[in-house]
Amino acid sequence: MFVGGLLARAEGLPTGDLIAKRLLKRAGQIAESDGTNHYSYEKRSTVEEFDDHQRVTKSTEKVYKVLLIRGVPFTRLVKIQGRDLTEAELAKEGQREATFRKRIDGVDLKKKAARREAMITPDLLDRFDFKVLRREVVHERPTLVVSFGPKPSAVSDKTIQDKVLSRIGGTLWVDEEEFEVTKLQMGLRSSLSLGWFGFVGSLTRCDLTLERQRMPDGVWINVKNTMLIVARKLFESMHYRTTEASSGFRKE
């Protein structure tokens, strides 16, 4: 009943500026908490390469175990193309973990957490215009659908980051109760030249989708992301798609 009434109140949609402020506030709260480091899980990563006719020419699948070491996630490779690791590969992963543990042992994690910065910053949000389109129900929770695109005043080509941010736009699905992003779809709106005057190459397409899930204790976790990249290097075109899907979450 609550959700139905919520969806019916189209005239009560908040402004894009308000959504930006609430996203910023939420990001700051998350940066100050330690609630994101309590889960271990399995991550499956697939990288596909395509030719100009969209035919897959190469596909690589890897499976990882994301473990918590003193509360910090460590990604350990456990399978490649469906097979177990060889002895040499196991030794390499063991060395990686040993190095990681040694580095973590010398870090004051409380001080590091206190210095942690929010993923969403005022400078980042100031580059975009936000518009609330409608309400939807996602995973039985009231959600705002928000479009975003670069502000004309924020367009700049001074750095690679400026070039990218001035060309991307898309849609956010924002949980209306907690102002967490539950889904994201974004991509380049125009091609991006790389190198000197575009002679080295160009990025013609870069699409990203992200899906997130709320755990029973209120922690939000990325469960799937896909990136499609189409680029050109001199006279050669390159097509890549990477997909990462996580499952089997266990609170520790």
Side-chain angles (χ1 to χ4, degrees):
M1 183 175 182
F2 167 74
V3 172
L6 188 64
L7 290 171
R9 296 201 307 272
E11 69 279 7
L13 292 174
T15 64
D17 287 342
L18 177 60
I19 294 300
K21 291 178 181 177
R22 295 300 299 270
L23 287 171
L24 182 62
K25 181 180 178 180
R26 177 65 175 180
Q29 293 171 340
I30 295 301
E32 295 173 358
S33 71
D34 63 354
T36 58
N37 290 331
H38 290 164
Y39 286 88
S40 59
Y41 53 93
E42 179 180 282
K43 180 171 69 175
R44 187 176 301 271
S45 173
T46 304
V47 179
E48 297 172 298
E49 297 181 25
F50 300 84
D51 61 19
D52 289 337
H53 301 288
Q54 300 300 309
R55 294 177 300 217
V56 177
T57 58
K58 183 179 179 181
S59 179
T60 304
E61 181 185 83
K62 296 181 179 180
V63 178
Y64 300 86
K65 291 290 185 183
V66 181
L67 313 172
L68 295 181
I69 300 176
R70 293 186 62 201
V72 180
F74 172 76
T75 303
R76 184 183 180 103
L77 180 64
V78 294
K79 285 182 181 293
I80 301 176
Q81 299 293 74
R83 65 166 176 81
D84 294 333
L85 301 190
T86 64
E87 290 187 7
E89 290 166 340
L90 284 171
K92 183 178 179 180
E93 289 303 300
Q95 183 59 48
R96 283 185 58 245
E97 182 174 336
T99 301
F100 182 85
R101 288 181 181 274
K102 185 176 181 180
R103 186 169 71 247
I104 290 297
D105 286 341
V107 175
D108 187 327
L109 297 181
K110 290 185 178 180
K111 290 183 178 180
K112 184 177 180 180
R115 296 193 301 266
R116 185 165 53 197
E117 297 182 355
M119 294 293 292
I120 299 176
T121 65
D123 289 342
L124 178 62
L125 292 182
D126 284 346
R127 291 175 174 265
F128 298 96
D129 283 320
F130 297 87
K131 181 180 180 180
V132 182
L133 304 178
R134 60 186 181 276
R135 285 186 171 95
E136 291 183 359
V137 176
V138 178
H139 300 307
E140 301 182 352
R141 296 180 61 85
T143 304
L144 295 166
V145 183
V146 184
S147 66
F148 68 95
K151 293 179 179 178
S153 59
V155 174
S156 173
D157 282 350
K158 293 181 179 179
T159 68
I160 291 295
Q161 179 178 328
D162 288 335
K163 290 180 180 181
V164 172
L165 292 178
S166 65
R167 287 168 171 79
I168 62 174
T171 306
L172 297 168
W173 282 256
V174 181
D175 185 86
E176 194 165 8
E177 293 181 2
E178 298 183 358
F179 287 90
E180 284 276 0
V181 175
T182 185
K183 184 178 178 181
L184 165 67
Q185 292 180 345
M186 71 178 190
L188 285 177
R189 293 183 169 183
S190 61
S191 61
L192 171 64
S193 297
L194 303 173
W196 293 102
F197 307 106
F199 287 120
V200 173
S202 62
L203 184 62
T204 58
R205 185 175 178 183
C206 182
D207 297 336
L208 172 68
T209 63
L210 171 67
E211 298 176 20
R212 306 181 74 224
Q213 179 178 325
R214 187 182 188 275
M215 297 289 105
D217 61 355
V219 172
W220 289 80
I221 294 180
N222 297 351
V223 294
K224 185 176 182 180
N225 65 79
T226 301
M227 179 174 286
L228 174 65
I229 295 176
V230 179
R232 192 159 196 87
K233 183 179 180 181
L234 294 178
F235 303 107
E236 179 185 3
S237 62
M238 298 173 290
H239 306 251
Y240 299 94
R241 179 169 59 221
T242 65
T243 302
E244 290 186 351
S246 301
S247 60
F249 295 98
R250 299 175 300 279
K251 188 172 182 179
E252 298 185 3

